[in-house]
């Protein structure tokens, strides 16, 4: 299974300006890259999207496929030949069910809210600060709540 972020919408809740102030940073070189790395890591740990965007999930043969992050819309479900596949989406929008097992390519959009970002922002900034300082940030990551969704 492989999940690929196709697009990333600039987040107005978690910003490089706030991160600079939080970490007392003077140089702005590579800050957005560091911040994106931190956001991606916190998203992976919590299963909460902190940035709107689109994903493509390539999945193995199964009748059930887990979607990651706060899914707002499934845009397509196709087999490895590019043909549309019939599916059912559960009410939480985090699982797709099929009638026949097949390898899939699932494209979907995710969204976020200000409240979600505020609840995890300090973890993002702490981890980004550790990365900026050349540390691995494991102390910060061990404090992050796991798989909230």
């Amino acid at each position: 299974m492989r999940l690929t972020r196709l697009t990333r919408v600039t987040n107005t809740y978690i910003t490089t300006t706030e991160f600079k102030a939080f970490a007392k940073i003077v140089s702005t070189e590579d800050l957005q890259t560091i911040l994106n790395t931190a956001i991606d890591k916190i998203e992976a740990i919590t299963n909460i999207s902190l940035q709107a965007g689109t994903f493509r999930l390539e999945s193995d043969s199964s009748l059930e496929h887990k979607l990651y992050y706060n899914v707002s819309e499934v845009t397509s479900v196709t087999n490895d030949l590019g043909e549309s596949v019939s599916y059912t989406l559960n009410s939480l929008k985090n699982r797709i069910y099929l009638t026949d097992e097949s390898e899939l390519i699932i494209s979907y959009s995710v969204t976020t809210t200000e409240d979600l970002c505020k609840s995890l922002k300090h973890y993002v900034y702490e981890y980004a600060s550790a990365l900026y300082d050349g540390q691995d940030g494991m102390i910060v990551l061990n404090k992050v709540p796991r798989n909230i969704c």
Side-chain angles (χ1 to χ4, degrees):
M1 182 178 338
R2 185 175 76 201
L3 179 65
T4 306
R5 183 185 295 269
L6 299 177
T7 63
R8 180 188 302 271
V9 176
T10 303
N11 188 322
T12 58
Y13 309 120
I14 300 175
T15 66
T16 53
T17 304
E18 281 188 353
F19 172 52
K20 275 179 61 176
F22 176 86
K24 299 175 181 66
I25 295 172
V26 179
S27 167
T28 58
E29 189 175 314
D30 298 325
L31 280 188
Q32 191 62 56
T33 301
I34 291 170
L35 195 55
N36 286 344
T37 300
I39 288 170
D40 290 347
K41 189 67 169 182
I42 301 305
E43 285 178 337
I45 291 171
T46 61
N47 195 31
I48 291 179
S49 177
L50 298 174
Q51 294 181 314
T54 57
F55 285 87
R56 173 185 165 125
L57 177 65
E58 296 176 37
S59 188
D60 298 334
S61 291
S62 177
L63 290 174
E64 181 179 334
H65 301 271
K66 182 179 187 325
L67 302 180
Y68 298 89
Y69 310 126
N70 327 356
V71 176
S72 60
E73 177 185 17
V74 175
T75 52
S76 72
V77 179
T78 59
N79 61 19
D80 55 351
L81 300 174
E83 302 166 331
S84 290
V85 174
S86 178
Y87 66 92
T88 304
L89 184 64
N90 72 348
S91 62
L92 297 175
K93 293 185 177 180
N94 64 358
R95 294 200 183 276
I96 282 184
Y97 302 99
L98 305 174
T99 54
D100 296 315
E101 283 189 24
S102 66
E103 294 183 12
L104 292 181
I105 299 172
I106 305 166
S107 298
Y108 61 96
S109 301
V110 297
T111 188
T112 192
T113 66
E114 184 175 2
D115 289 341
L116 286 173
C117 289
K118 283 182 177 179
S119 70
L120 297 169
K121 183 189 297 191
H122 62 284
Y123 296 118
V124 171
Y125 290 157
E126 281 187 53
Y127 184 61
S129 295
L131 293 176
Y132 182 80
D133 291 339
Q135 302 169 6
D136 69 4
M138 287 309 297
I139 292 172
V140 175
L141 295 180
N142 287 333
K143 294 190 277 184
V144 177
R146 304 283 190 236
N147 292 314
I148 295 173
C149 285

